[in-house]
Amino acid sequence: MSWKIKNHLQEILAAEEGYSLYPAGIRTRFALCYPNHYNVGMSNLGLHIIYHQINSRTDSAAERFFLPDGNLQKQYEQSNTPLLSLESQNPLYEFAIIGFAVSFELDYFNILSMLSRGKVKLLASERGENDPLVIAGGPCATFNPEPLYLFIDAFIIGEGEETINHFLDVYLSTRRKGESRQKALLCLANIPGVYVPAFYKHDYDESGVLRYIYPDKNVPANILRQWVKNIDDYPAHTVIKSNNTEFNFYLIETARGCGRHCRFCMAGYCFRVPRNRSIESIMQMISNVPAKEKIGLMGAAVSDHPQIDEICRFINERNHPMSVASFRADSVTQLLVDSLAASGQKTLTLAPEAGSVKLRRIINKGIEDAHLYKSIDMGIKAGIQNFRLYIMVGLPEETDEDIEAIIKMAFDLRGYMDKNKARGKLTLSVNPFVPKPFTPFQWMAMADMQKVSAVMKYIRASLKKEKNIEVLTESPKEAYLQGILARGDRKLSQILYEAHMLGGSKAFRRVMKTHKISDSFYLYRERNIDELLPWNILEMGVKNDYFIHELEMAKKQKFTVKCFDGCKRCGVC
């Protein structure tokens, strides 16, 4: 049966352009793993960037692994074949380094599944001298690695282009010297931006609250998040062309970080300073895109790039269709919307996040109703008929009046569309709010799940009679599981391990109960600002006093202006 798996992987590879494959024995093999299906992983620009960095060296070779799906998963199960790489179809356990790119908390279960399927020991403490080194990077590793600490030997904290090269330099040096695994990990732990959790002990009080973090005397007391000062030095674009992705775009990053200070957003705090790529760098990447290929511009808010219209003109002149990862209603331009419409985009997505002025002030969103109407005008002028709104429920200080404001906003915008002969759909994408680490809301409790579920049901019921309004809601159970994992501590690592042994995510809460750990400890407990949080070992560059300041600003419903030249408020600069 394994030959069927190999044939399937070879067929995927044959349909790609731009992958690298090196003869065995020349380079150290690096298993680059995305803990989800191929089409999801290949839509992740970070995977392309790190793949390129590893293969640009002369001493390392990256090969990709993905979570099998459909018929491929059945073939793996029936044949008991270990998880194989896409490039050479070699098993995971044969690779010297296994690196996971982790973007979503719910993929934690897939990490264990891939390691288990790859016949790699799940527990880092049980791996010996001849076992692979398992590392992880990406947003989840940067924000709160603790729920994965039992399984990961080392985490990359922050942006990875430079750190992965420092990591490989040190690791390969220890290999050449014949150093032990423990000595290699100690050397790696002293690289800026590398966190080796085995060298840090956590101590809890009787109620389960973290009291102390004890670092080994030979490692740093804190790990400083790394970021690329000049992103033009590291072009970021699609490296491997595949038509079997979620979006089928040629991805190009226009900017990194965000300075908008939205108080719910980890990226806005953990990836400061906001950095725009130069127009010359972006044009160079665009010039290399194959003819007629659709370009996907990536960034926290693509419309915030000061030369977004020039970028659009350059793309249009070369007859490329285009799309954007996101834009803000207060910075979108008519040319950008026209370019999207000309590229076949049928829906314009706006993110007010809340319906009321009060809640938008609390979260510091900075979007007003006038921006929404202006964006709809731009869309209608460009020929776009459908509009989508991203909404969060369960926000701090939310009341019934704020929920009614969402419904009123939907009816008002729908009426405005009708008045202007936009006959398409208005879609509301409604999701529970999760207070994330390294945001001013990190100390706050989540809203009660039953209440949030009732609110989403109420919004659906209130709008269901309007045939051209559609309401889509995220599963509350999944959102609240995400909340536990995002805000959790090391105790969850054992829960993940036992849940994996019992079948995965569906067993997670059952295992929590056997350990007498309640959801409410992670979800509904408001934390004191003096409490030691599981992620406090990490330093994002933002001063803790600034998070507290922004929490107070939220309580006062006061607005914080975005980053500006010469600003020294948060500490990053």
Side-chain angles (χ1 to χ4, degrees):
M1 185 69 78
S2 63
W3 65 270
K4 287 186 178 182
I5 297 172
K6 290 183 178 181
N7 284 346
H8 181 87
L9 296 173
Q10 288 166 0
E11 287 173 3
I12 294 174
L13 203 64
E16 292 185 341
E17 298 175 15
Y19 68 86
S20 300
L21 180 58
Y22 299 98
I26 296 176
R27 298 170 176 235
T28 296
R29 292 196 295 178
F30 190 117
L32 184 57
C33 302
Y34 194 87
N36 211 303
H37 302 312
Y38 174 90
N39 67 317
V40 179
M42 288 303 295
S43 300
N44 183 278
L45 183 56
L47 189 81
H48 291 259
I49 292 170
I50 297 301
Y51 184 86
H52 174 72
Q53 285 298 315
I54 296 167
N55 285 327
S56 293
R57 300 170 60 97
T58 59
D59 52 10
S60 58
E63 297 189 27
R64 290 163 293 152
F65 289 79
F66 300 95
L67 184 73
D69 62 348
N71 187 49
L72 186 61
Q73 173 67 16
K74 291 180 182 178
Q75 290 177 13
Y76 271 114
E77 291 172 353
Q78 291 170 2
S79 64
N80 198 30
T81 301
L83 193 63
L84 303 179
S85 73
L86 190 55
E87 279 78 0
S88 67
Q89 297 89 57
N90 280 305
L92 184 62
Y93 66 83
E94 290 186 356
F95 284 70
I97 305 173
I98 297 171
F100 284 94
V102 193
S103 300
F104 305 104
E105 289 89 355
L106 296 184
D107 285 343
Y108 293 176
F109 300 97
N110 297 337
I111 291 174
L112 298 189
S113 178
M114 290 177 71
L115 288 173
S116 183
R117 172 60 63 190
K119 301 192 184 305
V120 177
K121 294 172 184 172
L122 291 180
L123 300 177
S125 61
E126 293 182 356
R127 297 183 197 125
E129 297 298 329
N130 297 319
D131 290 312
L133 194 72
V134 181
I135 69 174
C140 289
T142 294
F143 303 142
N144 181 17
E146 296 306 334
L148 292 172
Y149 102 100
L150 280 178
F151 321 111
I152 306 298
D153 293 302
F155 293 92
I156 305 294
I157 308 300
E159 296 169 359
E161 290 96 331
E162 294 171 345
T163 307
I164 194 63
N165 282 290
H166 299 323
F167 185 98
L168 288 170
D169 288 342
V170 171
Y171 172 78
L172 294 173
S173 174
T174 63
R175 286 279 295 268
R176 286 192 296 270
K177 294 176 182 176
E179 303 281 11
S180 68
R181 184 184 186 89
Q182 185 72 2
K183 180 61 184 296
L185 286 170
L186 185 60
C187 293
L188 293 169
N190 282 280
I191 300 172
V194 175
Y195 173 47
V196 180
F199 294 123
Y200 299 82
K201 307 303 180 190
H202 287 210
D203 182 55
Y204 302 88
D205 66 19
E206 292 179 356
S207 67
V209 173
L210 184 62
R211 286 196 303 182
Y212 301 109
I213 299 176
Y214 299 102
D216 185 275
K217 64 180 180 180
N218 296 314
V219 298
N222 295 95
I223 294 84
L224 185 61
R225 178 266 310 187
Q226 300 299 292
W227 56 285
V228 176
K229 308 300 186 291
N230 182 9
I231 59 173
D232 279 354
D233 290 342
Y234 296 91
H237 55 79
T238 290
V239 173
I240 302 165
K241 174 70 176 63
S242 169
N243 289 325
N244 185 22
T245 68
E246 276 196 307
F247 310 114
N248 289 336
F249 300 155
Y250 188 100
L251 304 176
I252 291 177
E253 185 184 60
T254 61
R256 190 170 293 186
C258 182
R260 288 287 193 158
H261 296 239
C262 296
R263 296 182 179 119
F264 59 86
C265 179
M266 286 191 300
Y269 288 91
C270 293
F271 293 120
R272 283 185 197 168
V273 179
R275 290 145 286 158
N276 293 309
R277 291 189 183 274
S278 68
I279 188 71
E280 295 79 13
S281 170
I282 294 170
M283 287 180 173
Q284 180 61 50
M285 289 189 284
I286 293 169
S287 298
N288 293 329
V289 179
K292 298 184 179 179
E293 190 78 25
K294 189 169 187 178
I295 292 173
L297 299 179
M298 306 298 291
V302 173
S303 56
D304 276 356
H305 195 288
Q307 293 160 299
I308 185 59
D309 280 355
E310 289 180 56
I311 296 168
C312 290
R313 288 192 192 97
F314 194 75
I315 292 173
N316 294 339
E317 287 168 3
R318 280 151 182 76
N319 298 315
H320 290 291
M322 63 171 285
S323 184
V324 297
S326 65
F327 66 79
R328 283 186 58 102
D330 59 350
S331 64
V332 67
T333 68
Q334 186 66 56
L335 180 58
L336 173 56
V337 175
D338 289 345
S339 300
L340 296 173
S343 300
Q345 187 156 321
K346 304 297 183 185
T347 302
L348 209 59
T349 299
L350 310 170
E353 313 293 358
S356 67
V357 172
K358 181 195 88 178
L359 285 187
R360 288 183 207 161
R361 285 176 179 164
I362 287 173
I363 64 176
N364 207 57
K365 183 63 185 180
I367 297 295
E368 300 173 2
D369 285 350
H371 298 131
L372 302 178
Y373 287 108
K374 184 179 179 181
S375 297
I376 289 175
D377 286 338
M378 290 180 182
I380 293 171
K381 183 178 178 182
I384 293 175
Q385 296 287 300
N386 303 290
F387 298 88
R388 179 188 291 259
L389 303 175
Y390 282 133
I391 302 294
M392 291 188 291
V393 292
L395 286 165
E397 306 297 328
E398 183 180 83
T399 64
D400 291 344
E401 287 76 17
D402 298 308
I403 303 306
E404 294 299 335
I406 295 171
I407 295 164
K408 182 178 185 302
M409 175 177 65
F411 277 124
D412 288 349
L413 293 177
R414 178 69 259 174
Y416 190 77
M417 290 169 61
D418 291 338
K419 180 182 175 182
N420 289 276
K421 297 181 171 57
R423 304 302 183 193
K425 276 190 176 179
L426 176 66
T427 300
L428 275 67
S429 180
V430 184
N431 303 292
F433 165 65
V434 179
K436 292 288 184 84
F438 295 111
T439 69
F441 298 140
Q442 63 184 342
W443 295 283
M444 302 192 80
M446 282 188 75
D448 180 78
M449 186 172 75
Q450 290 186 338
K451 180 181 177 182
V452 166
S453 298
V455 164
M456 292 195 293
K457 183 178 180 181
Y458 176 72
I459 293 172
R460 284 195 301 268
S462 300
L463 298 174
K464 71 177 181 179
K465 291 182 180 179
E466 174 56 69
K467 65 177 181 179
N468 284 326
I469 294 181
E470 176 185 41
V471 179
L472 305 176
T473 56
E474 182 184 357
S475 162
K477 286 185 178 180
E478 288 191 0
Y480 279 73
L481 177 54
Q482 177 197 140
I484 293 170
L485 295 172
R487 296 155 59 81
D489 52 30
R490 287 191 171 187
K491 296 191 291 291
L492 293 184
S493 210
Q494 182 66 28
I495 310 298
L496 280 167
Y497 178 69
E498 293 180 24
H500 168 75
M501 295 300 184
L502 293 172
S505 60
K506 292 182 179 178
F508 186 80
R509 279 189 167 86
R510 188 166 77 249
V511 176
M512 284 186 72
K513 288 180 180 178
T514 64
H515 283 262
K516 298 182 179 179
I517 297 175
S518 68
D519 289 8
S520 61
F521 181 82
Y522 299 106
L523 296 175
Y524 306 133
R525 182 177 63 87
E526 185 161 343
R527 303 169 193 205
N528 190 290
I529 58 171
D530 296 325
E531 181 177 325
L532 182 64
L533 302 172
W535 47 88
N536 281 165
I537 194 73
L538 312 176
E539 292 282 353
M540 295 298 130
V542 178
K543 295 178 293 188
N544 196 57
D545 286 348
Y546 187 74
F547 289 119
I548 297 170
H549 167 77
E550 281 298 295
L551 179 60
E552 292 303 314
M553 291 285 280
K555 291 177 180 178
K556 296 173 183 176
Q557 300 178 29
K558 289 189 175 181
F559 183 69
T560 296
V561 299
K562 64 182 180 180
C563 295
F564 55 87
D565 289 341
C567 170
K568 304 289 184 184
R569 291 170 295 172
C570 75
V572 169
C573 294

